Amino acid sequence: MTQKVKGLLSDFRMFWNVPMPGRYMTFKEIAAYAGGGIGAYFLIYMGNQLVVTINNMIVGGAIGVSPTHMYILYIITTLANIPLTAIRANMIDNTRNKAGKYRPYLISMGIPTALIALGYVWFPYDVLYDFFPMHLLGYDGGYIAKCAVVLIFNLLLQFFFNFFNDAYTNLIHVLSPNTQERTDVLAIKSVVYSLAPSIANIILPIVAQHLTNNNMYDIKLYRITYPVFAVLGIALTVVVFGYTKEKIIQAKTRVIQVRFADAFKSVAKNKYFWIIALAGWLGFLESSYSNILSWTYNYGHACEGSTMSLLNTIIGNASMWGMIIAPFCIRALGKKKVLILVNTMNIVCILAMGLNTTNIFWLAACVYINWLFGAFEQIIKPAIQADIRDYHQFKTGERIDGMFSTVQTIGNVVTLATSSVLPFVYESYGIFEGNGYEQPYDILDVATGQPGLLEKVVTALIIMAAIGALLNMLPYLFYDLKEKDQKGVVRVLRIRAMFEDYGNGIVNDKTLVEAIDIIRNAREMATQEAAVVTKADKKKDKKAYKAALNRNEEIEISKMVCAELEKFSHEPYKSKYAAYQSVYSAGLAGLYNADMSDILSELKQAREMPHGTHEEKELRKFAIEIAQNKRSALKAIHKYYKSLDEFKQPNFTVLEEIFNQEDACEEKFKQLYIDQAEAKKAKDSYKLKEISDDLKALKAERKALQKKEKAEMDKHAYFARAAKPYLDAQKLIKEKENQEHFEELEARYDEAKASSEAALQAQLEEQKRLEEEKTAAKAAAKAEKAAKKELKNKK
């Protein structure tokens, strides 16, 4: 055991700045992502507590908006979130930033999120009744104004908070292409970041006990605690930004240009996306049980604040154990089986709450078990989201991330109608504005409200939540993207990236070695026969059984890799290649001079093609797709180009030069801000004035560059739309040509491997040298301190 611990510590030190073999994240990066996640989740905790939903008790209980009006606000913000999500998605999918797709938004969206949350709880809502004393539509003017203010804060949160939440949550998708590594890191992150909501859930009841008479729905409680959460949140989020690095598997020469409409259509064809999205849309009722425990405490007066704090601590601990266990269950059973198991247990736990709806300890026990299994989803769902993005890139050739959120948000319109069920139930039990109580939910209070009402409402919520959990489970029965499929996808993407970079003359040693190792292994394993493995073999020898399963999996993955390498020898790629050769040989002039009636006739013929077999379906699908692309291209040509001479591919070096100028500009900004801090310290007013003028000039330069960049990017975007069939043809033909140069690449393998290993060894030696220097410095400091102490004792 001691040797194992020593080995782990040795690995930890060795791979602090360098990833372990077969992995992509260093321990330093994992520590930053997980530890900094505590801060991110303080902000996410505040955002989730404040965004209007039909169950929001800060808006309903503390601010005093009735369930029906919360539902109206929920409809408005959900509809408003559709274009906002589209804007966010477009920004993410078309971002060009050294920091990556998601990291830049951790800070730029995190700070506004914290400020909006503080403004939300500190706004003087009571003053509105003095400013708006009139009555409108049967309600106080102050109440309507209050709803309007809540709406404004929510619209702001819909953009800034959701952007920040997406940035941190989806960051794991691009930190590693290894699905098991992502799962492992998610487990570590989830255990660590859960400290944030756990700390909040411990602190809030204790503060409520001492300052608000155990009232968890007093706005003062949040005015005191949220500023602390906000400061911690921003400080630790900076750690995530500073010590993580995005790693997307695509060619280094790939230009990021994803048109909104194209990305939308592309995502909409991804079947796995629909399975995940439907699970969310159908399971809207599952969260109905979420307020039961807090209601039993707040309105049922079932225990003191300190007891509630202890229960929250214990329940929060359930999530930790669930997150620790989840990766082992996923390895053993796979994501699909675990998801079905988790949802089944959710149904059982929710129904069990109905056995005793007044005993807070029984309810807490049910919630504990539910959270234990529910924590699995916090690991599995982000891992699945990452897998389906890799799968999408494999199928379409484009890396799309943000648009998945947009399509899912648009689908949330489905839940607007279904979500009206809960407010209707609340209102039927008397929870509405003007029910004779100070706040609508006060009618539930067992001491001052309507007798027996709390128990009736809780029972109704349990039944609704169980139905929601069942509906949530059903779509997962159709999820069939297995772990071995995802491994094959990642290997194919690595091979494609190598060939594409080779074609552009920039393939590096590490990429070449990894891809050729994959190809050599695949060609060797694909010819082998899979072993027949039974449960009896498992009883005989577990290690041999597991090794046989792994070997069988490797054979299947290898066949997938070989199919990629041989695809141009089989249908439908033979037909695709022939069709694209025709488009490519006609050139841009062929697209420009095309006749719309001919294209429409081609589309009609494509739709009439036979589609009885899988091969026929694929060929028909491709024929329709290429005809539709020609139609869209011709429309774009007529829109953007007046003559054939104008219809030319823009020079990327112009855009690259602008990018370089922008990067240089950012470096100047960094240096000027450092100089400014030093000048302030030295109280050099002349230098400060000089730096201020330089910053002003640099801002003007950056603005001009951004304008120039947009104009140049527009040229590329217009050409990409107008020449899409030609560019697709060029890409496929070039891919085939690049694959034909494999022998040339393989000849460079030994040299590249030696170079790659030497670079890694140099990196490890440099890390070792730095550690030795650090140890020596610590020893010297310790010796110096001891010498000073000895000298002091002598004196």
Side-chain angles (χ1 to χ4, degrees), residues 444-561:
L444 297 172
D445 198 294
V446 294
T448 60
Q450 195 175 112
L453 183 62
L454 178 61
E455 194 174 345
K456 290 177 185 175
V457 176
V458 164
T459 303
L461 294 181
I462 288 168
I463 294 167
M464 291 167 66
I467 293 169
L470 175 63
L471 292 173
N472 178 261
M473 181 182 73
L474 296 178
Y476 292 122
L477 297 172
F478 301 95
Y479 184 83
D480 61 357
L481 183 63
K482 296 174 183 175
E483 278 66 19
K484 68 174 184 292
D485 298 329
Q486 201 279 336
K487 289 176 185 175
V489 162
V490 170
R491 292 187 196 181
V492 168
L493 292 178
R494 288 205 163 281
I495 293 166
R496 287 180 186 174
M498 179 196 70
F499 282 125
E500 190 170 341
D501 279 341
Y502 165 78
N504 290 293
I506 63 160
V507 65
N508 63 44
D509 292 335
K510 188 182 176 185
T511 303
L512 186 145
V513 169
E514 285 179 349
I516 290 178
D517 280 341
I518 289 169
I519 292 168
R520 284 178 172 178
N521 177 68
R523 284 178 171 169
E524 181 187 337
M525 294 296 296
T527 58
Q528 297 184 22
E529 289 291 326
V532 178
V533 186
T534 64
K535 288 183 179 179
D537 297 324
K538 187 178 181 181
K539 289 178 182 177
K540 278 184 187 178
D541 188 339
K542 280 187 180 180
K543 280 188 179 179
Y545 173 79
K546 192 175 180 182
L549 288 179
N550 289 338
R551 182 178 171 278
N552 288 350
E553 182 182 271
E554 191 62 35
I555 290 169
E556 287 191 55
I557 293 169
S558 297
K559 286 178 180 177
M560 188 175 174
V561 171

Side-chain angles (χ1 to χ4, degrees), residues 711-778:
E712 195 63 29
M713 284 289 280
D714 284 345
K715 286 182 187 177
H716 284 267
Y718 297 156
F719 182 79
R721 293 172 202 170
K724 181 170 171 53
Y726 175 82
L727 293 174
D728 287 346
Q730 184 185 56
K731 181 182 171 185
L732 192 77
I733 290 167
K734 200 171 182 182
E735 184 183 353
K736 186 175 185 293
E737 288 173 0
N738 290 338
Q739 283 196 13
E740 288 167 356
H741 288 272
F742 176 70
E743 287 181 7
E744 183 186 327
L745 283 162
E746 197 171 25
R748 290 170 51 188
Y749 176 82
D750 291 334
E751 184 187 340
K753 183 161 185 162
S755 173
S756 181
E757 286 176 351
L760 178 61
Q761 188 60 36
Q763 194 175 2
L764 289 170
E765 284 174 4
E766 176 63 14
Q767 185 177 333
K768 189 178 178 183
R769 185 187 67 77
L770 291 171
E771 284 179 2
E772 286 172 354
E773 283 182 4
K774 194 175 178 181
T775 305
K778 281 182 180 178

Side-chain angles (χ1 to χ4, degrees), residues 87-147:
I87 292 167
R88 296 199 306 270
N90 216 31
M91 288 170 70
I92 289 168
D93 287 331
N94 293 285
T95 192
R96 193 212 71 84
N97 193 306
K98 280 185 173 181
K101 274 178 176 275
Y102 293 111
R103 287 175 63 246
Y105 303 112
L106 292 173
I107 307 300
S108 61
M109 297 295 156
I111 292 172
T113 296
L115 295 174
I116 293 162
L118 295 180
Y120 202 143
V121 296
W122 273 94
F123 191 88
Y125 294 99
D126 291 341
V127 174
L128 294 172
Y129 287 88
D130 297 328
F131 278 97
F132 301 97
M134 74 292 289
H135 278 66
L136 292 170
L137 304 173
Y139 297 99
D140 287 339
Y143 177 78
I144 294 173
K146 178 164 65 176
C147 291

Side-chain angles (χ1 to χ4, degrees), residues 291-516:
N291 286 325
I292 290 175
L293 200 63
S294 59
W295 282 6
T296 306
Y297 160 70
N298 207 71
Y299 298 122
H301 309 294
C303 64
E304 290 293 323
S306 55
T307 306
M308 187 63 183
S309 178
L310 178 62
L311 289 175
N312 282 336
T313 306
I314 294 168
I315 290 168
N317 187 256
S319 295
M320 182 191 76
W321 291 112
M323 292 166 190
I324 291 171
I325 298 165
F328 300 102
C329 293
I330 293 167
R331 277 193 184 93
L333 301 172
K335 297 184 186 78
K336 177 180 177 177
K337 287 181 181 176
V338 172
L339 272 172
I340 293 170
L341 171 67
V342 164
N343 280 279
T344 303
M345 289 307 300
N346 285 347
I347 296 167
V348 171
C349 293
I350 290 167
L351 288 174
M353 295 173 81
L355 297 176
N356 193 336
T357 58
T358 57
N359 188 319
I360 197 165
F361 299 103
W362 171 251
L363 294 174
C366 294
V367 172
Y368 179 91
I369 300 169
N370 199 1
W371 278 35
L372 177 70
F373 284 97
F376 282 43
E377 291 188 320
Q378 296 179 44
I379 309 297
I380 299 170
K381 285 186 177 178
I384 284 177
Q385 287 287 353
D387 289 353
I388 65 174
R389 281 160 171 76
D390 290 340
Y391 170 80
H392 191 82
Q393 186 181 351
F394 166 74
K395 293 295 284 184
T396 67
E398 293 296 339
R399 180 78 191 190
I400 295 172
D401 287 281
M403 196 53 64
F404 279 90
S405 301
T406 303
V407 183
Q408 193 160 356
T409 303
I410 291 170
N412 284 344
V413 174
V414 176
T415 66
L416 290 178
T418 51
S419 295
S420 64
V421 173
L422 202 53
F424 175 78
V425 170
Y426 285 160
E427 193 160 330
S428 68
Y429 282 105
I431 306 170
F432 55 84
E433 173 65 18
N435 62 358
Y437 293 86
E438 186 177 345
Q439 301 288 10
Y441 288 90
D442 289 349
I443 194 173
L444 297 172
D445 198 294
V446 294
T448 60
Q450 195 175 112
L453 183 62
L454 178 61
E455 194 174 345
K456 290 177 185 175
V457 176
V458 164
T459 303
L461 294 181
I462 288 168
I463 294 167
M464 291 167 66
I467 293 169
L470 175 63
L471 292 173
N472 178 261
M473 181 182 73
L474 296 178
Y476 292 122
L477 297 172
F478 301 95
Y479 184 83
D480 61 357
L481 183 63
K482 296 174 183 175
E483 278 66 19
K484 68 174 184 292
D485 298 329
Q486 201 279 336
K487 289 176 185 175
V489 162
V490 170
R491 292 187 196 181
V492 168
L493 292 178
R494 288 205 163 281
I495 293 166
R496 287 180 186 174
M498 179 196 70
F499 282 125
E500 190 170 341
D501 279 341
Y502 165 78
N504 290 293
I506 63 160
V507 65
N508 63 44
D509 292 335
K510 188 182 176 185
T511 303
L512 186 145
V513 169
E514 285 179 349
I516 290 178

